[in-house]
Amino acid sequence: MVSSSHEAMHRIFQEYPGLFSRVSEVLGVAIGPPASATIMPTDLTEHRPLERRVDTLLRIDMEDDQSYLLAIEAQGKKDPEKPASWIYYLSYLQAKYKLPPMLLVVCQDRATAEWAARPFPVGHPQSPVLTLQALVAGPHNMPVIKDVAEARKDLALATLAAITHAGDPDIGVILKTLSTALRDVPETIADPIVELTAQGLGNRPAAQQWRNLVAVDLSFYKSPLSEEIRDEGRAEGREEGREEGRAEGIARSILLLLAQVGVDVSDEARERITGCTDLDMLSRWLLRVPTAASVEDVFAER
């Protein structure tokens, strides 16, 4: 079964085809911005009972009338069988479309990324007939964006960077930066980023952090994720009282995130958090958790 994070790692290029030109710069290959991009069929099946599908396939047309095909694969773990499939994809695409193909592999863990970045020779060890060398984007080379201004310059790249750093110890700060960068951004831009980020984080603890950040201020999030959070809040409010239920929910989120980032919470601090009914105060505490070294940092007045 394909995971949601797998989908987000390649689908983001369908939403933002120009993203590859910026990713290529990060990877040290200056491809240049496209003039246009077309989503191509991903089914590479031959007229034989053998199905082969690339995750995302784009035709990139440049200003100088040059074109190429970009195959994007989201890779969650090492798979010794996968390089042979990638080689097949590229050969098939070259033969079918008569356009030069490129392969970008997107990963969320360093070991898999380093494995995918290795050259894979085909043929006799003493005389390989060809060598596969993919471009790889992952936590080993994607930028760690903690500056709001930097994130706003390229929201698509900031989103991909956050997804690839889903397991980073600083993911809380990375997500806080991205959520802040989305403030006052038009819904048509913010909505797919909110959803792709949630999808890309999958079932990792960071996914709950992202939900909490989105929940702090729903006024500028109108995406399906924010509506889902709203519905949860309404249900909780009906059972326990709207304001009281939301305060308890945020308090629980604060304690959960403190535990996730390894901050010790004394009984006195726990009582202060769970006993607080001021939603604005609780929201401020929640936003401070990702960068807090101690519970005192959460309570500090700034």
Side-chain angles (χ1 to χ4, degrees):
M1 182 176 179
V2 176
S3 66
S4 61
S5 58
H6 178 280
E7 287 292 301
M9 284 192 286
H10 68 84
R11 193 166 66 83
I12 189 172
F13 291 90
Q14 297 180 21
E15 298 286 342
Y16 309 101
L19 174 60
F20 177 65
S21 67
R22 280 100 74 189
V23 172
S24 70
E25 291 179 11
V26 175
L27 303 182
V29 182
I31 300 299
S36 64
T38 305
I39 298 177
M40 304 285 286
T42 61
D43 190 346
L44 308 183
T45 308
E46 296 184 80
H47 296 295
R48 293 183 297 170
L50 179 63
E51 183 178 339
R52 298 182 186 272
R53 290 181 182 273
V54 65
D55 286 335
T56 282
L57 179 62
L58 300 174
R59 173 182 170 139
I60 305 295
D61 300 311
M62 307 294 284
E63 292 285 0
D64 59 2
D65 294 330
Q66 296 296 312
S67 301
Y68 65 93
L69 297 174
L70 176 61
I72 304 159
E73 287 277 283
Q75 193 66 26
K77 61 182 180 179
K78 299 177 184 178
D79 182 353
E81 302 297 323
K82 210 55 186 283
S85 295
W86 291 338
I87 291 169
Y88 172 87
Y89 297 163
L90 298 173
S91 299
Y92 179 89
L93 291 171
Q94 178 84 47
K96 180 176 182 178
Y97 293 105
K98 304 298 188 292
L99 290 173
M102 296 188 71
L103 173 63
L104 174 66
V105 182
V106 185
C107 307
Q108 287 181 299
D109 73 273
R110 188 182 186 93
T112 301
E114 291 178 345
W115 165 81
R118 288 165 36 200
F120 292 99
V122 175
H124 192 281
Q126 291 183 322
S127 181
V129 293
L130 58 89
T131 300
L132 171 70
Q133 184 72 68
L135 290 174
V136 179
H140 67 304
N141 58 11
M142 284 291 98
V144 177
I145 300 177
K146 299 182 183 179
D147 180 75
V148 174
E150 182 182 356
R152 282 181 175 151
K153 287 179 182 177
D154 195 332
L155 288 169
L157 180 62
T159 303
L160 180 66
I163 291 172
T164 56
H165 286 287
D168 194 292
D170 290 332
I171 186 61
V173 182
I174 296 169
L175 294 177
K176 173 65 165 54
T177 300
L178 181 58
S179 68
T180 303
L182 289 175
R183 292 182 182 275
D184 301 321
V185 169
E187 292 177 21
T188 53
I189 297 175
D191 286 357
I193 288 177
V194 171
E195 300 303 322
L196 279 167
T197 303
Q199 189 179 34
L201 297 173
N203 296 322
R204 291 174 171 80
Q208 185 59 46
Q209 295 184 47
W210 181 242
R211 289 175 63 86
N212 292 337
L213 287 167
V214 173
V216 167
D217 183 0
L218 297 178
S219 62
F220 62 95
Y221 285 125
K222 306 298 183 184
S223 64
L225 176 63
S226 64
E227 292 298 334
E228 179 184 337
I229 296 172
R230 275 196 190 89
D231 291 341
E232 292 174 356
R234 292 190 186 106
E236 189 174 4
R238 285 194 295 268
E239 294 173 2
E240 305 178 36
R242 186 179 181 89
E243 294 299 313
E244 180 182 353
R246 189 174 179 193
E248 290 182 2
I250 297 176
R252 286 195 296 269
S253 297
I254 292 171
L255 293 173
L256 175 64
L257 291 176
L258 285 170
Q260 288 176 346
V261 299
V263 172
D264 292 330
V265 181
S266 65
D267 291 340
E268 180 182 357
R270 185 178 299 274
E271 290 177 5
R272 181 176 177 184
I273 293 170
T274 57
C276 181
T277 58
D278 185 333
L279 292 178
D280 289 337
M281 178 66 74
L282 286 167
S283 295
R284 287 196 295 271
W285 290 348
L286 179 63
L287 288 173
R288 293 171 186 167
V289 171
T291 57
S294 68
V295 74
E296 286 76 19
D297 291 340
V298 174
F299 295 143
E301 293 299 330
R302 304 174 188 177

